[in-house]
Amino acid sequence: MSSAPHRLRVLVIDDDAAIGELLEAMLTRDGFDVTVVSDPLRAEAALRAEKVHLVLLDLMMPRQDGIETLRQLRRIDRDLAVIVVTGYPSLETAVDAMKLEAMDYLRKPFSIEELRAVIERTLQKKGLTRTPEEQLYRAIGDTVRRLRHERSLTLKQLAERAGLSTSLISQIERAESSPSVSSLYRLAVALETRVQDLFGEF
């Protein structure tokens, strides 16, 4: 596995030019490559033009609403991570968005911190990583989970063997925690393997 950092591309679909500019500036500063589309009828072409990892999709737009736009995007990429953003939330649109496998539903106005939290949560759910550190944590988590399953151990059993909490091991497996050297050593002993083997193919 290459340890070189790679940039994830975000497609922003929002007819509000000010919102588009704000999101582009913020996401670019956070290390993403960003494409902004103000006309939802151009969204399909934008998705086909380049690899997109995440879509931020407004619901209330002229010419074509966000639900219909999402329906079209799903015909191209069933696995695409989509976050719906709307200033007019309703149960109906939330249900429609979730039926089309939107990952989250964010209400305008939102803070930058709220948006960052939703994006990070979505990327983790999709297994998308942006830095060498994130790639390493995911490799360790995947290996620990695989070895635990191969040895038919529950989280609780592995925790007892390693002398660690179940919540910490769960966080390590989900790549949500930076494991200490001591934790890795304890896990390796409990899983009857070498510490270096926990790094998988990294």
Side-chain angles (χ1 to χ4, degrees), residues 62-73:
R63 304 184 71 189
Q64 179 172 279
D65 66 36
I67 295 299
E68 181 55 36
T69 302
L70 178 53
R71 191 172 287 115
Q72 291 182 358
L73 297 181

Side-chain angles (χ1 to χ4, degrees), residues 8 17 29 51 81 83 98 135 144 169 175 195:
L8 300 181
R29 189 171 63 245
K51 174 64 178 176
I83 298 172
M98 296 309 163
Q135 293 178 32
V144 169
I169 296 176
V195 172

Side-chain angles (χ1 to χ4, degrees), residues 184-199:
L184 290 178
Y185 177 77
R186 292 184 178 194
L187 285 171
V189 171
L191 291 167
E192 300 174 344
T193 190
R194 301 176 304 168
V195 172
Q196 55 265 45
D197 290 338
L198 295 181
F199 294 88

Side-chain angles (χ1 to χ4, degrees), residues 89-148:
S90 71
L91 179 60
E92 182 182 0
T93 56
V95 170
D96 287 343
M98 296 309 163
K99 283 181 178 178
L100 290 166
E101 299 178 57
M103 298 289 291
D104 222 314
Y105 190 91
L106 188 62
R107 178 174 183 167
K108 295 179 183 177
F110 49 81
S111 69
I112 290 177
E113 290 73 22
E114 285 176 317
L115 179 60
R116 281 183 174 140
V118 169
I119 288 175
E120 288 305 316
R121 185 165 64 241
T122 298
L123 293 178
Q124 285 187 353
K125 286 179 182 176
K126 284 294 185 181
L128 295 168
T129 54
R130 290 186 288 154
T131 67
E133 289 79 12
E134 288 172 326
Q135 293 178 32
L136 175 60
Y137 299 157
R138 185 156 298 282
I140 292 172
D142 289 345
T143 303
V144 169
R145 185 186 304 105
R146 176 178 56 79
L147 291 175
R148 177 169 65 81

Side-chain angles (χ1 to χ4, degrees), residues 1-200:
M1 179 186 297
S2 171
S3 61
H6 58 287
R7 293 169 70 89
L8 300 181
R9 178 165 293 280
V10 179
L11 175 60
V12 176
I13 307 171
D14 197 314
D15 65 298
D16 187 325
I19 292 290
E21 290 177 9
L22 172 66
L23 291 176
E24 183 175 19
M26 186 207 101
L27 294 169
T28 299
R29 189 171 63 245
D30 282 359
F32 294 97
D33 286 330
V34 185
T35 298
V36 178
V37 172
S38 58
D39 182 352
L41 297 180
R42 293 178 48 227
E44 186 174 343
L47 185 59
R48 291 185 185 279
E50 55 198 350
K51 174 64 178 176
V52 173
H53 301 90
L54 174 67
V55 172
L56 295 179
L57 174 64
D58 186 31
L59 282 188
M60 298 294 288
M61 295 182 287
R63 304 184 71 189
Q64 179 172 279
D65 66 36
I67 295 299
E68 181 55 36
T69 302
L70 178 53
R71 191 172 287 115
Q72 291 182 358
L73 297 181
R74 280 285 173 246
R75 294 188 192 118
I76 302 171
D77 189 343
R78 293 297 306 178
D79 195 45
L80 183 64
V82 177
I83 298 172
V84 166
V85 183
T86 181
Y88 305 94
S90 71
L91 179 60
E92 182 182 0
T93 56
V95 170
D96 287 343
M98 296 309 163
K99 283 181 178 178
L100 290 166
E101 299 178 57
M103 298 289 291
D104 222 314
Y105 190 91
L106 188 62
R107 178 174 183 167
K108 295 179 183 177
F110 49 81
S111 69
I112 290 177
E113 290 73 22
E114 285 176 317
L115 179 60
R116 281 183 174 140
V118 169
I119 288 175
E120 288 305 316
R121 185 165 64 241
T122 298
L123 293 178
Q124 285 187 353
K125 286 179 182 176
K126 284 294 185 181
L128 295 168
T129 54
R130 290 186 288 154
T131 67
E133 289 79 12
E134 288 172 326
Q135 293 178 32
L136 175 60
Y137 299 157
R138 185 156 298 282
I140 292 172
D142 289 345
T143 303
V144 169
R145 185 186 304 105
R146 176 178 56 79
L147 291 175
R148 177 169 65 81
H149 288 166
E150 286 177 358
R151 287 153 179 72
S152 300
L153 294 171
T154 64
L155 273 173
K156 183 178 180 181
Q157 289 171 330
L158 179 56
E160 290 173 348
R161 282 192 181 191
L164 300 170
S165 69
T166 54
S167 62
L168 175 59
I169 296 176
S170 179
Q171 289 171 7
I172 290 173
E173 288 191 355
R174 297 196 305 270
E176 295 175 355
S177 174
S178 170
S180 67
V181 173
S182 173
S183 296
L184 290 178
Y185 177 77
R186 292 184 178 194
L187 285 171
V189 171
L191 291 167
E192 300 174 344
T193 190
R194 301 176 304 168
V195 172
Q196 55 265 45
D197 290 338
L198 295 181
F199 294 88

